[in-house]
Amino acid sequence: MPLDALCLSGLVHELDQTVTGGKIDKIYQPGRDEVILALRTPAQGNVRLLLSANPSHPRPQLTQLIRENPDTPPMFCMLLRKHLAGGRLLRLEQEPLERVVTLTIRAVDELGEQSDYRLILEAMPRHANLILVDREGRIVDCLRRVDFEMSQQRQVLPGLYYRLPPRQDKCDPLTTEEDAFRRLLARRPEDSPLDRWLMDTFTAIPPLLARELVCRTCGETDARSTDPDTLWQTFHTWQQQVQEGRFLPQLLEREGRPADFSYFPVTQYGPSVTCRTYDTFAQLLDDFYQGREQADRVRQKGQDLMKAATAARDRVRRKLALQEKE
């Protein structure tokens, strides 16, 4: 599943305890949409912080996996090295119930003065981005530039002031109290699926969580009616778990292969899926994404080779056409 905002909050809490206060030794960009900060931290010594803006699986995480770096660093990597190398990570924060993580880094600017930069990871599938913002709030540059033709609502370009992505007009699931929950449930369209109602009503509730709450309440994932008291109790139990920060990194395996991950035990699949608990999200995400990212890199290399071959063939054809004219 894509990393939802609540699972991200558990991951950010884990990262904050490890990387805050760390000094940036090196910066790498092994892929077109992933950056690695090599940090020396007070808590764990040398660590590697991956900031992935891959549209399919964006996330921040500590990683032990070794990624091959290109011979020539990409332009965005060189930009980050120019502004952030040798800097210290002051804070790592998440926008409440949003998949936006901000790293505040104090580094020496072009005038030789200490300056606070923000490196912002927008971890939304299909719209993922990594953006460097200066102390005045202006965008220095980003992995993916978004101009007016691409989005009339929000542009992401060097020189513009950074603005957060637009928020969803839904209720906060962590602050909703019982009376409000019951009123919202009473207005639910008759015979509509309960999991769909949860997703449409509350922000940061993905399909996996919505189905799980319904399954724990009704014994099935596609229920359309239930006792309001029972549904509220299930919802409130989950609510307290998240509010208290009781996250349990879970790898869901089907036939021995990683199928999904979560921050709570998942029961909806029955015996066909097993849950393996991890000590950290870093270990979980390395195991979950290792095979997928390797396949992505192989596929991307194949596409790049195909483009290069097509371009070479076109050049030969143009050259032959000019020779025929002569």
Side-chain angles (χ1 to χ4, degrees):
M1 73 176 209
L3 188 66
D4 67 77
L6 292 171
C7 188
L8 179 60
S9 67
L11 175 55
V12 167
H13 177 71
E14 177 180 294
L15 288 173
D16 182 53
Q17 294 180 317
T18 303
V19 302
T20 298
K23 182 180 179 182
I24 300 176
D25 276 343
K26 296 180 180 179
I27 302 174
Y28 306 101
Q29 189 177 345
R32 64 174 58 181
D33 44 24
E34 57 185 16
V35 167
I36 290 179
L37 305 181
L39 297 160
R40 282 190 289 121
T41 68
Q44 292 190 9
N46 295 329
V47 299
R48 302 167 75 245
L49 176 60
L50 168 67
L51 302 173
S52 173
N54 187 304
S56 300
H57 32 78
R59 69 202 184 278
Q61 70 157 110
L62 293 179
T63 181
Q64 297 291 329
L65 302 180
I66 302 301
R67 292 167 169 80
E68 182 180 352
N69 294 303
D71 295 333
T72 303
M75 291 299 295
F76 187 69
C77 180
M78 297 296 291
L79 176 87
L80 294 182
R81 289 178 179 178
K82 174 183 176 181
H83 292 285
L84 303 182
R88 192 167 298 278
L89 180 54
L90 301 182
R91 294 182 300 279
L92 187 144
E93 304 165 300
Q94 178 190 6
E95 289 295 320
L97 295 180
E98 297 290 338
R99 286 178 284 191
V100 178
V101 178
T102 300
L103 289 74
T104 301
I105 300 167
R106 181 162 294 170
V108 178
D109 63 18
E110 295 175 339
L111 300 177
E113 299 178 354
Q114 294 288 330
S115 185
D116 289 354
Y117 292 90
R118 287 182 292 153
L119 186 57
I120 303 171
L121 174 63
E122 297 182 348
M124 289 84 69
R126 299 188 304 277
H127 302 288
N129 210 343
L130 189 60
I131 306 165
L132 181 64
V133 176
D134 65 18
R135 62 183 177 183
E136 296 179 351
R138 292 183 182 273
I139 298 171
V140 180
D141 211 341
C142 48
L143 268 180
R144 293 185 176 87
R145 297 182 178 184
V146 181
D147 59 23
F148 189 80
E149 292 184 357
M150 299 169 68
S151 173
Q152 298 184 13
Q153 187 176 31
R154 176 177 179 258
Q155 292 78 53
V156 183
L157 295 169
L160 298 182
Y161 283 105
Y162 175 77
R163 294 183 294 112
L164 286 168
R167 297 179 181 271
Q168 292 183 320
D169 186 20
K170 296 181 181 181
C171 299
D172 183 338
L174 300 183
T175 60
T176 299
E177 298 183 350
E178 183 176 0
D179 289 344
F181 183 88
R182 289 176 178 274
R183 287 195 299 270
L184 292 167
L185 182 60
R187 296 200 295 266
R188 179 178 66 96
E190 187 176 356
D191 202 37
S192 63
L194 287 168
D195 63 330
R196 173 53 60 184
W197 172 77
L198 286 167
M199 289 187 291
D200 291 343
T201 304
F202 299 101
T203 190
I205 292 190
L208 179 68
L209 173 59
R211 294 195 305 268
E212 184 64 22
L213 293 175
V214 173
C215 183
R216 293 183 183 186
T217 302
C218 308
E220 56 183 355
T221 58
D222 56 353
R224 296 173 179 267
S225 63
T226 187
D227 173 36
D229 292 338
T230 309
L231 182 58
W232 163 251
Q233 286 303 319
T234 303
F235 185 87
H236 185 54
T237 299
W238 163 82
Q239 193 181 60
Q240 288 180 313
Q241 173 190 343
V242 176
Q243 289 170 340
E244 295 169 4
R246 292 185 282 117
F247 295 95
L248 289 173
Q250 302 280 313
L251 179 65
L252 279 60
E253 295 179 314
R254 181 179 283 111
E255 298 180 351
R257 297 181 179 180
D260 211 335
F261 64 88
S262 179
Y263 58 90
F264 53 87
V266 175
T267 64
Q268 61 190 267
Y269 299 113
S272 64
V273 170
T274 58
C275 291
R276 180 149 57 101
T277 303
Y278 280 72
D279 293 330
T280 66
F281 281 106
Q283 296 171 345
L284 164 66
L285 295 175
D286 265 354
D287 283 357
F288 181 78
Y289 283 118
Q290 182 175 14
R292 295 177 181 227
E293 290 190 334
Q294 184 176 2
D296 285 349
R297 284 192 287 272
V298 170
R299 183 167 54 251
Q300 186 61 56
K301 285 184 178 180
Q303 292 174 351
D304 291 344
L305 289 173
M306 184 67 71
K307 289 180 181 179
T310 301
R313 186 172 62 249
D314 290 343
R315 287 195 297 270
V316 171
R317 287 176 176 174
R318 287 195 297 269
K319 185 177 180 179
L320 292 174
L322 288 174
Q323 291 176 348
E324 289 178 358
K325 288 182 180 180
E326 293 174 354

